[in-house]
Amino acid sequence: LKFIVGGEAGWLSGLRARPRVGRSWFERDLFYHGTFRDDFLWGVSSSAYQIEGGWDADGKGPSIWDNFTHTPGNNVVNNDNGDIACDSYNKLEEDLNILRALRVKAYRFSLSWSRIFPTGRIDSVNKYGVDYYNRLIDGLVASSIIPMVTLYHWDLPQALQDIGGWDNPSLIELFDSYADFCFRTFGDRVQFWMTFNEPMYEAWLGYGEGVFPPGVKDPGYAPYRIAHTIIKAHARVYHTYDEKYRESQKGVISLSLSTHWMEPKSPNLPGDIEAADRALQFSLGWFAHPIFRNGDYPDAMKWKVGNRSELQNLATSRLPSFTEEEKRYIRNTADVFCLNTYSTKIVKHRTPQLNPPSYENDLERTEEDDNSWPSTAVNRAVPWGMRRVLNWLKEEYGDIPIYVTENGVGLKKSQIEDIDRIFFFKTYINEALKAYNLDGVNLQGYMAWSMMDNFEWLQGYSVKFGLYQVDFNDTNRPRTARTSARYYTEVINNNGMPLDKEDEFLYGEFPKATSISIYLSIHPSIHPSIHSSIHPSTYSSLSLSLPPIYLSIYLHIYTHIDITCTYVL
C-alpha cells in the first residue's frame, strides 16, 4: 500500500490510465495534472488565403479560391470572400505582436503559391510576394519564434487549374519547382516544412462532392486520382529537400493530415469495430499508410474499393495502384507526423447501394454524433477523442514524433469572454497530456487553431476560431485578445497543467512506531456516517475494500497522526 498525501486539487495525480478497452466514462474524463517535455513546441496556426487578403496586390496572381468566391452561387455564407480577410498582407507587424504576446514558440502558416509565382510557374517570380514572406520569417526568427511553413493550403494558382489542376500529373513537376524555390529562398531560416495541408479535403470536397474549388463532382473516381497525384508530388518534394537541402539546412519535412476520432457504435460488434478502423484508414491512412508505412494504400482501402469495383463490372479498381518502384520512392517520406483533429464521430457498419460509385459508399459506414456531446458551430466537442486518436497513431505508425498542427473550436458568437473556448482548449490539451505522460505517445508539439478569427471557407466569417477577435466590419481589421488568449499563454508558460505547489503530493512512509488513526467519513447521500479507528495492521485489508474514487487526506501531527479520508462516489 502506498500513501498518497495531498490537497483536493491533486487528487487525480495518483491515478494511472487503464487499457482503453473497458475504461469507464468516469475514469476516461478525469482531469490529469502534469507537464510536457521541456522542448515541447507550443504554437498557433493560420493559412494564407484565410488571413492575408491583398488578393491582387503587388502582382499576386488569382488562386482557385479567389475565383471561386468571386463566382455567384458558390455557397459561401453571406457571399464572403478572402479579398481582404484579416489584411495580414498589410498588417505583418500586428500579427507579430500577437504572436509575441501569446508567447508561442512556433507559428504555423502557409505560403500563397500564386503570391510567389502568379502563374504557378517559376518563370513568374513576384518579388513583392517573396519580400512579404521574407519579412514575416525574419520577424519570427528575431522574436525567437520557429516558422513552421506549409507549402500548399488549398489555394492553387488558377493558371494551373486551367490546365487540369491536380488531375494533371504535370503538377508534380510544377509543385516540385515551387517547393525547390521556397527551400532555396527561405530554408536558411525555416527548419520545419509541410508540403500539403489536409489533402483528403482537397481530394473529396474539391473533386468528389464539388463544394470546394475547383467544384468537380466525380465522387467515385476523381478523389482517388487526385490523392494519387498529391502523394507522388509530396514524395517528389521530400526527396528534393532530402537530396539538396537537408544537410545544410538541417530541417524536417512532412505533411499535415486530418481525421476525427472514429468510435465504434457497438464496441462488442466486430462489424462496427472494423467500420471505425476502416473510416480511419480511408481518411488518415489514405495518405499516411503510403508515406509512413509501405508506400501503398491500406489493405482496407484496396480490398473494399477493389471488391466494389469488381461488383460494378469494372475492369480495374477505381483506386489507382503504385508500381513497386513508386512504392519504394514514396515510403518513409516524412520525418514527423503532423495531425489536424477537432472532433469524434460514432461509426456503424452499413451496406450502401453499389451504384453510382462513390468514395463515401466505399467506406460502408455511417457516422453520427452523440447528442450529449457539447455542440459548437462546426463540430461536437469530444475531448477524449484526442487521446484515442493519438494512441491510434502510435499503434499504427510506431513511435514517430507527433505534432498536433491544428486543434480548436469554432463558435458563432464573437464575445471577448469566450469561456467555451477555454473549456475546449483545457480539456483537449489535457487529453493530449494524458496521451503523452500516461500512454507514452511521442507528442512533441501543439498548434492551436487559430491565432485570430479568419475566413473559414464555406462558413465565411460567420464562425469564429480565433484566440484574438477580428472586427471584420472595421476596415482597419482591429485585433483584440480574447480571454482564451490569456489562458493559452498560461498553459504555454506552465508547459502544460501542473499542480500548484501547495497541492503537490508527498510520497513516503511513516515511522514504524507511529500510531495511525484513520477516520472515514462517507457522504450521507451514499451511506450513514461511519467513524472508526483502525490499527495499522488492519489498514491494508480495509483500504482494498474501499472505492479509490476521490481521496483527500489531511495530516495533523500531534502525539499521533490523524488522517481524515473523504470518499465521494
Side-chain angles (χ1 to χ4, degrees):
L1 178 70
K2 178 185 289 186
F3 279 104
I4 304 176
V5 182
E8 290 187 15
W11 65 282
L12 289 176
S13 293
L15 297 174
R16 290 294 179 266
R18 296 175 186 170
R20 291 190 297 279
V21 176
R23 180 187 293 146
S24 70
W25 67 265
F26 184 93
E27 183 178 2
R28 181 197 68 197
D29 294 338
L30 290 177
F31 195 80
Y32 174 78
H33 288 280
T35 57
F36 291 94
R37 53 191 293 151
D38 290 343
D39 60 350
F40 194 78
L41 204 59
W42 294 100
V44 289
S45 283
S46 71
S47 86
Y49 185 77
Q50 292 178 274
I51 70 167
E52 284 182 3
W55 79 276
D56 62 350
D58 298 332
K60 177 187 174 293
S63 74
I64 57 174
W65 272 93
D66 292 319
N67 280 17
F68 177 73
T69 56
H70 294 164
T71 303
N74 54 47
N75 294 322
V76 177
V77 172
N78 298 322
N79 291 315
D80 291 336
N81 59 54
D83 288 3
I84 301 175
C86 305
D87 202 21
S88 287
Y89 184 69
N90 297 305
K91 294 184 176 297
L92 188 151
E93 195 59 39
E94 291 185 35
D95 288 356
L96 290 172
N97 284 337
I98 288 176
L99 296 166
R100 296 179 190 116
L102 287 169
R103 297 195 174 185
V104 295
K105 298 180 180 179
Y107 177 43
R108 175 180 174 255
F109 62 96
S110 74
L111 305 177
S112 168
W113 189 344
S114 61
R115 193 178 297 283
I116 296 174
F117 295 167
T119 68
R121 300 172 185 271
I122 196 168
D123 59 1
S124 65
V125 178
N126 175 20
K127 68 183 186 66
Y128 297 104
V130 173
D131 178 63
Y132 170 70
Y133 293 118
N134 269 324
R135 288 186 290 115
L136 172 58
I137 293 168
D138 287 344
L140 293 172
V141 172
S143 303
S144 300
I145 298 172
I146 295 172
M148 299 174 67
V149 178
T150 303
L151 292 168
Y152 181 77
H153 197 124
W154 302 351
D155 48 349
L156 186 71
Q158 182 62 43
L160 299 186
Q161 187 59 48
D162 292 341
I163 63 170
W166 292 108
D167 217 354
N168 184 342
S170 69
L171 257 70
I172 296 172
E173 178 66 33
L174 291 169
F175 183 62
D176 183 59
S177 63
Y178 159 63
D180 194 332
F181 176 87
C182 294
F183 296 150
R184 186 169 65 253
T185 305
F186 309 121
D188 58 329
R189 292 149 293 158
V190 176
Q191 278 78 49
F192 202 122
W193 295 95
M194 286 149 282
T195 54
F196 292 91
N197 176 77
E198 298 179 340
M200 181 193 73
Y201 292 124
E202 176 85 11
W204 173 240
L205 297 180
Y207 289 84
E209 279 192 319
V211 295
F212 274 18
V216 176
K217 296 182 179 180
D218 183 11
Y221 296 86
Y224 297 124
R225 294 197 309 270
I226 300 308
H228 207 65
T229 300
I230 287 176
I231 290 168
K232 290 181 180 180
H234 162 81
R236 176 69 176 273
V237 169
Y238 177 91
H239 286 289
T240 294
Y241 186 80
D242 200 45
E243 294 163 9
K244 296 177 65 174
Y245 300 102
R246 187 186 299 276
E247 184 176 355
S248 60
Q249 297 181 2
K250 305 187 186 311
V252 297
I253 185 168
S254 185
L255 75 172
S256 287
L257 302 177
S258 59
T259 189
H260 299 308
W261 169 245
M262 304 295 180
E263 182 76 5
K265 183 166 186 175
S266 300
N268 297 321
L269 291 180
D272 285 1
I273 295 173
E274 291 174 7
D277 186 74
R278 187 164 60 248
L280 287 164
Q281 297 293 356
F282 266 76
S283 57
L284 200 66
W286 191 359
F287 299 88
H289 202 276
I291 291 167
F292 292 92
R293 291 286 295 270
N294 64 358
D296 201 3
Y297 296 115
D299 288 342
M301 287 190 76
K302 292 194 295 183
W303 190 91
K304 191 63 67 177
V305 181
N307 183 58
R308 290 177 64 86
S309 297
E310 183 177 353
L311 293 173
Q312 290 156 350
N313 296 316
L314 300 175
T316 59
S317 174
R318 288 178 286 107
L319 181 69
S321 59
F322 295 110
T323 66
E324 292 303 314
E325 182 181 2
E326 287 172 337
K327 292 176 187 177
R328 290 190 293 271
Y329 191 75
I330 290 167
R331 69 183 176 216
N332 298 325
T333 53
D335 303 313
V336 298
F337 202 110
C338 298
L339 173 70
N340 298 352
T341 189
Y342 289 86
S343 189
T344 289
K345 297 294 182 181
I346 295 174
V347 179
K348 180 179 176 61
H349 172 74
R350 77 177 179 108
T351 303
Q353 63 186 34
L354 194 59
N355 287 304
S358 170
Y359 163 84
E360 277 289 306
N361 287 341
D362 290 340
L363 274 79
E364 296 191 356
R365 59 84 180 91
T366 60
E367 292 181 7
E368 61 187 54
D369 296 324
D370 185 326
N371 290 333
S372 69
W373 297 341
S375 61
T376 74
V378 181
N379 296 299
R380 299 271 181 170
V382 193
W384 51 264
M386 168 70 85
R387 182 180 182 183
R388 295 193 181 189
V389 73
L390 289 173
N391 272 274
W392 189 87
L393 288 183
K394 178 186 175 185
E395 295 299 321
E396 192 74 4
Y397 305 112
D399 193 34
I400 189 167
I402 299 173
Y403 292 82
V404 174
T405 43
E406 282 186 29
N407 180 240
V409 59
L411 303 174
K412 285 290 186 182
K413 295 182 179 179
S414 186
Q415 72 270 28
I416 297 298
E417 298 292 332
D418 55 340
I419 304 304
D420 289 345
R421 182 171 286 106
I422 291 175
F423 182 76
F424 180 96
F425 281 124
K426 184 173 186 177
T427 53
Y428 267 78
I429 293 173
N430 195 253
E431 292 297 322
L433 182 62
K434 292 177 189 176
Y436 170 73
N437 267 337
L438 303 182
D439 307 332
V441 174
N442 191 7
L443 185 62
Q444 298 195 8
Y446 177 93
M447 308 294 127
W449 183 275
S450 159
M451 173 175 73
M452 57 187 168
D453 296 339
N454 54 49
F455 177 83
E456 284 297 336
W457 311 113
L458 296 184
Q459 285 83 26
Y461 300 104
S462 67
V463 175
K464 319 295 182 182
F465 272 89
L467 293 166
Y468 274 66
Q469 178 199 72
V470 178
D471 185 354
F472 295 105
N473 295 317
D474 189 323
T475 56
N476 291 319
R477 299 299 196 266
R479 290 98 153 106
T480 305
R482 289 194 169 102
T483 306
S484 58
R486 294 193 293 273
Y487 173 74
Y488 189 50
T489 298
E490 179 184 338
V491 172
I492 293 172
N493 289 339
N494 290 330
N495 197 30
M497 297 166 178
L499 274 174
D500 292 335
K501 284 293 183 182
E502 61 267 25
D503 292 319
E504 289 184 355
F505 285 99
L506 301 177
Y507 293 87
E509 298 179 356
F510 295 112
K512 292 182 179 180
T514 300
S515 172
I516 302 178
S517 296
I518 301 179
Y519 298 93
L520 303 176
S521 178
I522 300 179
H523 194 276
S525 66
I526 301 171
H527 194 282
S529 293
I530 300 174
H531 299 279
S532 59
S533 293
I534 298 99
H535 190 274
S537 63
T538 64
Y539 178 80
S540 178
S541 62
L542 173 70
S543 68
L544 293 176
S545 67
L546 295 173
I549 304 299
Y550 185 151
L551 176 60
S552 59
I553 301 177
Y554 305 88
L555 296 185
H556 305 281
I557 302 177
Y558 301 103
T559 56
H560 65 283
I561 299 176
D562 293 335
I563 303 179
T564 301
C565 302
T566 304
Y567 290 84
V568 179
L569 291 174

